[in-house]
Amino acid sequence: MTSVDSIKKQFPFFSQTKNGKPWAFLDNAASCQKPESVLKKMDEVYRTTYANVHRGIYDMAENGTKLYEGVRELVANFLGARSVDEIIFTKNTTEAINLAAYSLSRRLKPGDEILLTEMEHHANLVPWQQAALRTGAKLKFIPLNDDFCLDLSGLHSLLGVKTKIVALSAMSNVLGTVNDLADLIKKAHAVGAVVLVDAAQAAAHLKLNVKDLDCDLLAFSGHKIYGPSGVGVLYGKAESLNNMPPFLTGGHMIADVWYDRATWNTIPAKFEAGTPPIVEVIGLGAAVKFINSVGWDFILNHEKELTRSGLKKLLSVDGLKLLGPKDASRRGPVFSFTLDGVHAHDVAGILNEYGVAVRAGHHCTAPLHKKYGIVATTRASCGIYNTTEDIDRLVVGLERARKMLD
Ligand SMILES: Cc1ncc(COP(=O)(O)O)c(C=O)c1O
């Protein structure tokens, strides 16, 4: 039977200690540790079957291509996509959203509107700002309510015939808020808008199904789902991708080339210019297999328990202000907070001494922090291998930080 203990044993990182204790690694919203199966697969490919993909006809090139393209199928199944052609490999979520923003902006004109939310990561904000600058389109934002969830009461005035693109996160990397997307996507489609979902956080915490969601595009990163850095995914409905011009141009993405022009390959090749992150993609495949082996029932139950425990214990810390919903059913196990009288970076520094790894700063959501008049928060974010004991260690460390610096 799956247990957190048996999961943790699969991650070589946890043999590391700090002052004689194993780490309580609570920075998973930034990036996750990697299981042995991912490390082993990548090592094996480099040692035995490495070659460029889609080009050679010798054994290694053919094996490498088979492994690489096999991951497209794994990811298509992971997301519930209709076809492998709907899976584009990118460098990360940021590149996937830049691809979408660049390509979709080619059809924007002055006065068109792009609807975002106030909780977006810079990766799902700055590319749209640039798209708006290039085209004269306007950005609009769905505000937040007092419980750090989307306030949809004014949606009818934000979403209209001018709205061409709606781009929003499935789960906030700061607030932990899980957004209810299906109804919003339906309403966006009713006015003819294209919808992109930023699933950078959600991909590790929620079972995604792009068919059920009916989003047009969705982006996530390998390194946040226990896979390697350097690889991400843009899912797109085939009809959307077929209608989008390419982003990066060069080798592999062409059908034919003359000195003065070129024609484009079919999807997904049209969006994968140059040598892709071959071994990283294969490592991503191993990460998807790892998640499948743990199973979503276990992940969802375990993380619900971490969310409940985290909320209860953190809200009992004197002087702690949580930036995020207090209702466990509206959020995932990502907790950002301030501690009265102690700077977020000092909190993170003290926790480090106790072997508790958290992050301090604006977590690439500067506008959200400005909205609440906060320069920085400390963020503790859980993954599949965390336990309620890790949260206990966090709470003990926070109490010590307050005593030391208050
Ligand atoms: C919600 C969200 N979107 C986008 C990103 C960007 O991901 P990456 O840095 O892997 O491109 C992150 C990273 O933290 C994120 O949390």
Side-chain angles (χ1 to χ4, degrees):
M1 211 183 78
T2 311
S3 67
V4 185
D5 217 34
S6 68
I7 290 170
K8 209 162 188 165
K9 283 203 179 97
Q10 297 180 50
F11 287 76
F13 168 79
F14 290 105
S15 59
Q16 314 289 311
T17 55
K18 171 95 178 181
N19 298 329
K21 275 192 175 171
W23 280 92
F25 186 78
L26 291 170
D27 195 20
N28 295 284
S31 207
C32 299
Q33 300 299 334
K34 319 301 171 199
E36 184 69 44
S37 57
V38 169
L39 303 173
K40 212 166 136 199
K41 189 74 202 173
M42 293 177 75
D43 185 63
E44 178 195 307
V45 171
Y46 272 127
R47 285 174 194 277
T48 63
T49 47
Y50 182 77
N52 212 331
V53 288
H54 304 135
R55 287 163 175 68
I57 51 162
Y58 47 90
D59 287 357
M60 295 80 79
E62 288 193 345
N63 286 343
T65 304
K66 219 191 269 172
L67 286 171
Y68 177 90
E69 288 301 329
V71 179
R72 221 184 284 281
E73 193 168 343
L74 278 168
V75 173
N77 289 334
F78 182 68
L79 296 177
R82 285 173 188 83
S83 153
V84 289
D85 294 342
E86 298 181 319
I87 304 302
I88 313 290
F89 294 122
T90 63
K91 190 171 73 183
N92 48 32
T93 304
T94 304
E95 187 181 87
I97 298 176
N98 272 275
L99 185 169
Y102 174 83
S103 184
L104 291 174
S105 72
R106 300 274 293 271
R107 31 175 134 121
L108 291 177
K109 48 185 193 323
D112 284 346
E113 292 175 1
I114 302 167
L115 182 60
L116 310 173
T117 82
E118 285 184 343
M119 66 171 76
E120 298 311 314
H121 186 283
H122 296 166
N124 197 31
L125 170 60
V126 183
W128 302 113
Q129 290 174 346
Q130 292 300 305
L133 268 175
R134 281 195 301 272
T135 60
K138 250 175 78 178
L139 299 184
K140 292 208 155 180
F141 295 88
I142 302 175
L144 305 184
N145 64 22
D146 292 345
D147 198 28
F148 305 93
C149 295
L150 294 181
D151 176 358
L152 297 174
S153 60
L155 189 64
H156 56 283
S157 62
L158 288 168
L159 193 60
V161 286
K162 288 187 183 163
T163 317
K164 301 300 174 205
I165 298 163
V166 177
L168 81 170
S169 158
M171 176 178 163
S172 163
N173 64 312
V174 172
L175 309 171
T177 310
V178 171
N179 290 322
D180 196 359
L181 297 176
D183 188 50
L184 225 156
I185 291 172
K186 228 180 265 163
K187 288 183 171 135
H189 284 162
V191 299
V194 170
V195 182
L196 176 140
V197 173
D198 173 356
Q201 293 299 325
H205 302 292
L206 303 170
K207 184 167 170 38
L208 297 167
N209 186 300
V210 289
K211 272 203 297 283
D212 291 348
L213 277 177
D214 198 30
C215 54
D216 303 285
L217 300 156
L218 178 141
F220 74 92
S221 297
H223 69 101
K224 293 188 204 280
I225 66 157
Y226 313 100
S229 55
V231 58
V233 169
L234 178 69
Y235 154 83
K237 277 184 189 165
E239 58 185 290
S240 305
L241 294 175
N242 283 327
N243 285 330
M244 287 163 59
F247 174 44
L248 300 174
T249 52
H252 187 61
M253 53 76 64
I254 47 82
D256 203 357
V257 185
W258 295 263
Y259 278 120
D260 61 346
R261 71 200 150 89
T263 52
W264 313 140
N265 208 332
T266 50
I267 57 166
K270 182 172 82 171
F271 293 105
E272 290 183 9
T275 299
I278 303 164
V279 181
E280 289 78 3
V281 166
I282 295 168
L284 170 65
V288 168
K289 281 186 180 164
F290 163 74
I291 290 182
N292 291 343
S293 75
V294 175
W296 279 104
D297 284 348
F298 180 88
I299 297 171
L300 295 172
N301 279 329
H302 176 57
E303 295 198 354
K304 199 175 281 172
E305 178 58 26
L306 291 172
T307 304
R308 282 202 202 104
S309 165
L311 271 179
K312 188 164 164 233
K313 289 171 185 165
L314 287 170
L315 290 172
S316 71
V317 174
D318 258 358
L320 185 144
K321 290 195 188 72
L322 187 72
L323 209 69
K326 294 189 180 63
D327 176 352
S329 71
R330 306 295 311 267
R331 58 145 50 247
V334 173
F335 307 101
S336 299
F337 52 84
T338 57
L339 198 57
D340 281 353
V342 195
H343 192 281
H345 285 93
D346 292 333
V347 175
I350 292 166
L351 289 173
N352 178 53
E353 291 311 305
Y354 295 113
V356 179
V358 297
R359 192 176 186 196
H362 56 49
H363 319 296
C364 297
T365 60
L368 181 71
H369 279 68
K370 287 187 182 111
K371 171 184 163 73
Y372 294 113
I374 301 168
V375 178
T377 48
T378 306
R379 181 181 69 187
S381 51
C382 300
I384 213 162
Y385 33 60
N386 288 117
T387 59
T388 51
E389 287 79 47
D390 291 334
I391 294 170
D392 292 339
R393 283 177 65 193
L394 166 70
V395 168
V396 170
L398 290 175
E399 274 156 3
R400 287 185 184 154
R402 248 174 75 78
K403 282 194 190 112
M404 279 168 76
L405 295 175
D406 197 11

